Amino acid sequence: MNNPVSIEYPGAEYDAQWKAALEPTDYTNPTPKSRYHLAVIGAGPAGLISSIGAAGLGANVALIERHRMGGDCLNVGCVPSKCLLAYSAEHPGDFDGAFEHLRRVRASIAPHDSVDRYTEAGADVFLGDASFAADGSLRVGDTVINARRYAICTGAAAAVPPIPGLREARPLTNESIFELRARPARLAVLGGGPIGCELAQAFARLGVEVHLFEMADQVLALEPAAASIAVAEALTASGVTLHLGAGVQSVERAAEDGPVVVDNGETRIEADEVLVALGRRPNTDGLNLDAVGVKLSDRGLIEVDAKLRTANAKIYAAGDCAAQLQFTHHADAQARALIQNTLFAPTAKVDALVVPHSTYTSPEVSGVGQTPAQLDAAGVAFDTYRVRFDELDRGKAESDDVGFAEVWTASGTDKILGAVIVGHDAGEQLSPICLLMSNGLGLAAAGKTIFAYPTRSEYLKRLADAYNRTRFTPLAQSLAARWFRWRA
């Protein structure tokens, strides 16, 4: 399955390997079985895990993908963006090297999500557009696929909002920015969420003049203010110019190859390219969901219950096409529940999952659960425990002058309601908090754990100690004083 390639840009040979694995041009769809246990539409994280997991259990599985195996995460999301961030931190200014690196890494991972791997695992892979028929079957071109259960795992795509002139300006999105073959001198980024912040920092490090526009008064608007401030300062230090507190009113590209003008009512900036990072829309077009009674929410998400069932008892949905929290690890967790519910007794629920999130700027920001703003809005009383990484011996040794961890517990208890970590490897540092929350353990449980010294993970011991000190009430102090007098 090798596609010919001419070396025209850095990493072109890796792109050829990547595409050959995930969208082979010489592949022929199999003859379908008379009936499958499960037919999965979409070969992103949710679809891949659902299909290979079901096939591994011995089920007959059909997997349909209309574009490229692997979904956004491998192809145009997590993997390439983290490659740019990592490479640009070590090799500032090396644009060609950074893009060659991402193409090499992406190609090295592609076999894991390839057509070959899934066919060898026992799934029948069909490449083409899927659409439901009125009789409840699924059509891929002229091929009819019948199944006991169907799973829609079609993911989501970048949304391009109706800003005057934006669509006509041919903006980049996460689906196209990683295909750049030459460094733009100037880049305008619309949106200060995780995608916008990550790519703004990476491109600034690679020698691009970057302007980031965000309607809110802070980047990462859903994060606590201290986390937002830390990232904003880091972006500015990396060379990103921030335009906060005013939404973009218009975008204009006067000539075919001319500059783009971005106007937010206060500032007009010229750029060579504009990147849209202003949200995502579910991929449901063309599925003919009305024919099988599958309903969509006002946001366009497929409506599912806690067991991932749609309004049609035979059809389930998982991943970004159906979830408010659109993360690869969330799709993974949903897929595991989907396997249980479609092949066996439908007992697995996904409405109480503890789902963390991370933004991989430098410093990283990772959070889980509810934020103080959300708790305040819900009228929930809570206590705050905080430690700075520069208070830890490891932090002092490595000059951690930015990072911190903050945990919020139900008032008067150690029940963890939420947490945020800012700093080096924040996503890794958050993992033990997720483990505590997932298993119903409170902050005090961390006080019983021995953490290696000197590590950043000692922050959790510090937080647990802070909570335990609150339990030493005046009454407890009085009783302790009496005890020591008696034992004198």
Side-chain angles (χ1 to χ4, degrees), residues 67-159:
H67 179 41
R68 184 179 293 145
M69 301 277 284
D72 271 18
C73 183
L74 169 60
N75 297 310
V76 295
C78 307
V79 170
S81 61
K82 305 315 166 274
C83 286
L84 288 187
L85 284 164
Y87 191 93
S88 65
E90 297 292 329
H91 308 278
D94 186 3
F95 184 91
D96 287 350
F99 272 73
E100 182 174 12
H101 172 67
L102 87 78
R103 289 168 179 137
R104 180 173 59 249
V105 172
R106 186 167 59 183
S108 73
I109 297 172
H112 187 266
D113 292 352
S114 66
V115 173
D116 282 349
R117 182 186 179 215
Y118 279 77
T119 56
E120 290 168 3
D124 283 352
V125 177
F126 297 85
L127 301 182
D129 290 306
S131 179
F132 284 102
D135 64 2
S137 65
L138 196 64
R139 308 296 171 91
V140 182
D142 295 330
T143 301
V144 179
I145 295 176
N146 288 291
R148 180 177 177 273
R149 295 286 185 268
Y150 299 90
I152 304 172
C153 304
T154 49

Side-chain angles (χ1 to χ4, degrees), residues 180-236:
L180 286 174
R181 300 183 180 183
R183 174 170 52 197
R186 302 164 297 179
L187 175 69
V189 179
L190 310 190
I195 295 173
C197 287
E198 288 182 1
L199 292 180
Q201 187 172 58
F203 274 80
R205 287 170 173 170
L206 294 174
V208 179
E209 179 186 319
V210 179
H211 293 263
L212 186 148
F213 294 82
E214 168 57 44
M215 181 182 297
D217 291 331
Q218 65 178 59
V219 297
L220 302 181
L222 299 180
E223 299 289 357
S228 168
I229 291 170
V231 171
E233 291 177 346
L235 289 174
T236 300

Side-chain angles (χ1 to χ4, degrees), residues 376-456:
D376 284 337
V380 176
F382 62 93
D383 298 322
T384 299
Y385 298 94
R386 192 176 199 268
V387 62
R388 291 179 56 89
F389 287 132
D390 62 8
E391 297 170 0
L392 305 175
D393 289 357
R394 179 63 178 271
K396 294 178 187 299
E398 298 196 12
S399 301
D400 279 345
D401 56 355
V402 174
F404 67 89
E406 198 166 295
V407 172
W408 310 290
T409 64
S411 182
T413 78
D414 71 335
K415 180 181 179 181
I416 301 172
L417 302 178
V420 68
I421 298 179
V422 176
H424 180 77
D425 273 351
E428 307 289 349
Q429 299 297 331
L430 188 71
S431 296
I433 293 180
C434 297
L435 185 63
L436 292 173
M437 294 177 70
S438 296
N439 289 278
L441 298 174
L443 188 57
K448 303 173 184 177
T449 305
I450 299 174
F451 298 95
Y453 174 89
T455 61
R456 292 182 179 87

Side-chain angles (χ1 to χ4, degrees), residues 221 299 447 471:
R299 293 184 56 196
R471 302 173 65 189

